[in-house]
Amino acid sequence: MFLHSLPIPVENALTPIPRHHTSSPPPTYNRSQTHRFFRLSLFPSFHTPRTALPPPHVAVVSGSSQQPEPLPSELRPDLMPKHVAVIMDGNGRWAKMRGLPPSLGHKAGVESLKRIIDLCCSWGIKVLTVFAFSVDNWVRPKVEVDFLMALFGSTINNLIESYNRKDVKISVIGDKSKLPDSLQRVLNNTEERTKQNCGLQLIVAISYSGKYDVVQACKAVAGKVKDGTIEVEDINEGVMEQELETRCSKFPNPDLMIRTSGELRVSNFLLWQLAYAELFFDPHLWPDFDKDQFVEALASFQQRQRRFGSRH
């Protein structure tokens, strides 16, 4: 998930930097450098002229790529999962290993997300659901939470035009009532502007938990019973699924769930929807999760037999 380490000093955020091979040591940054590039990253009104260059080792990473990525030869188009879910874990550890503030790890994680979105668009995946912020994360220090809220808003504002052109539909699930009013407006506007798009559906889980999802679905069903809309005897899995937050998608249940950073748990993510998903746990930290790792996860999925309880 984006939110991992604490505390995050807000003044120490950076623009994304390139990933480094283990053979060369990662760069370090002083406080003046990180402070300057936090202002450049989140607040456009502070931007310096376009001719200004970043300090050594800091790369300006572009937005989504313009050219579709061809499907690798080891993948079969007819066996691609329709819905992929991702727990984006390891941003904080990625930054710590490089002597960087955790906030820079989260920003590097955004770059990984953009790469995976582009690949999903190119390879015909219908739905990508990403776990961005858990409802359990609200107990973290305020400075950390505030930084993540600002990062979500700035990222969506910066990308909405390019993804609108790519026909990406953006949906948000979770308890949005807990989010800052400004972020709620950004999210609502984004959903409204992209709701007619027919390409990849990007579902962003913010202030979300699987337990919360099931509870709110139960409350909705109980309300229908109370109103006399349905009878208790009518309640079944289909009725419940119509009230889960992933009802916003034609393909509500993930075929493949990927978790990065080597952790082997689902961490309260899509608990109902993952009932028959194939699970893939990758040891790479999320900012290091790239095309090769995504291809490995998809190839693993394509080699599995999905029996759903039956016998072939």
Side-chain angles (χ1 to χ4, degrees), residues 217-230:
C218 289
K219 289 181 177 179
V221 172
K224 290 184 176 181
V225 173
K226 183 178 179 180
D227 296 340
T229 305
I230 62 174

Side-chain angles (χ1 to χ4, degrees), residues 215-271:
V215 168
Q216 67 85 26
C218 289
K219 289 181 177 179
V221 172
K224 290 184 176 181
V225 173
K226 183 178 179 180
D227 296 340
T229 305
I230 62 174
E231 300 294 331
V232 172
E233 293 75 16
D234 297 329
I235 300 174
N236 54 30
E237 292 181 11
V239 170
M240 285 290 296
E241 288 178 349
Q242 291 173 15
E243 303 299 336
L244 293 171
E245 297 232 294
T246 46
R247 65 185 180 276
C248 63
S249 176
K250 181 180 178 181
F251 305 101
N253 300 320
D255 301 298
L256 170 66
M257 193 283 289
I258 300 170
R259 180 173 185 149
T260 60
S261 85
E263 302 292 352
L264 306 178
R265 54 181 178 270
V266 297
S267 293
N268 203 4
F269 182 46
L270 299 175
L271 296 180

Side-chain angles (χ1 to χ4, degrees), residues 92-112:
R93 277 170 283 172
W94 183 92
K96 183 177 181 180
M97 289 171 61
R98 289 158 175 76
L100 301 171
S103 50
L104 182 55
H106 294 308
K107 296 202 72 177
V110 170
E111 297 304 316
S112 283

Side-chain angles (χ1 to χ4, degrees), residues 49-272:
R50 291 180 180 273
T51 55
L53 296 176
H57 304 296
V58 178
V60 178
V61 183
S62 62
S64 59
S65 61
Q66 299 300 313
Q67 298 299 324
E69 182 80 22
L71 187 69
S73 59
E74 58 265 46
L75 297 179
R76 288 177 49 180
D78 58 313
L79 294 180
M80 294 294 284
K82 292 182 174 64
H83 185 165
V84 175
V86 182
I87 299 177
M88 305 176 291
D89 194 18
N91 294 334
R93 277 170 283 172
W94 183 92
K96 183 177 181 180
M97 289 171 61
R98 289 158 175 76
L100 301 171
S103 50
L104 182 55
H106 294 308
K107 296 202 72 177
V110 170
E111 297 304 316
S112 283
L113 174 58
K114 291 193 287 187
R115 289 192 296 269
I116 299 305
I117 291 173
D118 287 339
L119 293 176
C120 288
C121 290
S122 298
W123 296 347
I125 292 171
K126 304 299 184 184
V127 184
L128 173 66
T129 299
V130 295
F131 202 3
F133 187 87
S134 171
V135 72
D136 301 316
N137 294 145
W138 286 112
V139 300
R140 299 292 181 89
K142 185 177 184 298
V143 65
E144 184 177 10
V145 173
D146 288 348
F147 173 79
L148 267 297
M149 297 300 110
L151 182 61
F152 296 149
S154 63
T155 298
I156 292 173
N157 277 329
N158 291 335
L159 296 179
I160 185 171
E161 293 298 336
S162 62
Y163 286 143
N164 223 351
R165 290 193 297 269
K166 284 177 171 286
D167 207 25
V168 174
K169 177 181 180 179
I170 301 177
S171 305
V172 180
I173 61 175
D175 187 0
K176 287 190 285 187
S177 67
K178 293 184 177 181
L179 302 176
D181 291 342
S182 58
L183 181 56
Q184 290 187 47
R185 288 193 293 269
V186 169
L187 298 177
N188 292 337
N189 176 62
T190 299
E191 289 184 296
E192 180 65 24
R193 290 180 61 185
T194 64
K195 67 180 182 181
Q196 300 300 328
N197 292 347
C198 301
L200 171 72
Q201 181 177 15
L202 172 64
I203 301 178
V204 184
I206 301 179
S207 189
Y208 175 87
S209 83
K211 291 180 180 179
Y212 153 84
D213 200 358
V214 173
V215 168
Q216 67 85 26
C218 289
K219 289 181 177 179
V221 172
K224 290 184 176 181
V225 173
K226 183 178 179 180
D227 296 340
T229 305
I230 62 174
E231 300 294 331
V232 172
E233 293 75 16
D234 297 329
I235 300 174
N236 54 30
E237 292 181 11
V239 170
M240 285 290 296
E241 288 178 349
Q242 291 173 15
E243 303 299 336
L244 293 171
E245 297 232 294
T246 46
R247 65 185 180 276
C248 63
S249 176
K250 181 180 178 181
F251 305 101
N253 300 320
D255 301 298
L256 170 66
M257 193 283 289
I258 300 170
R259 180 173 185 149
T260 60
S261 85
E263 302 292 352
L264 306 178
R265 54 181 178 270
V266 297
S267 293
N268 203 4
F269 182 46
L270 299 175
L271 296 180
W272 178 292

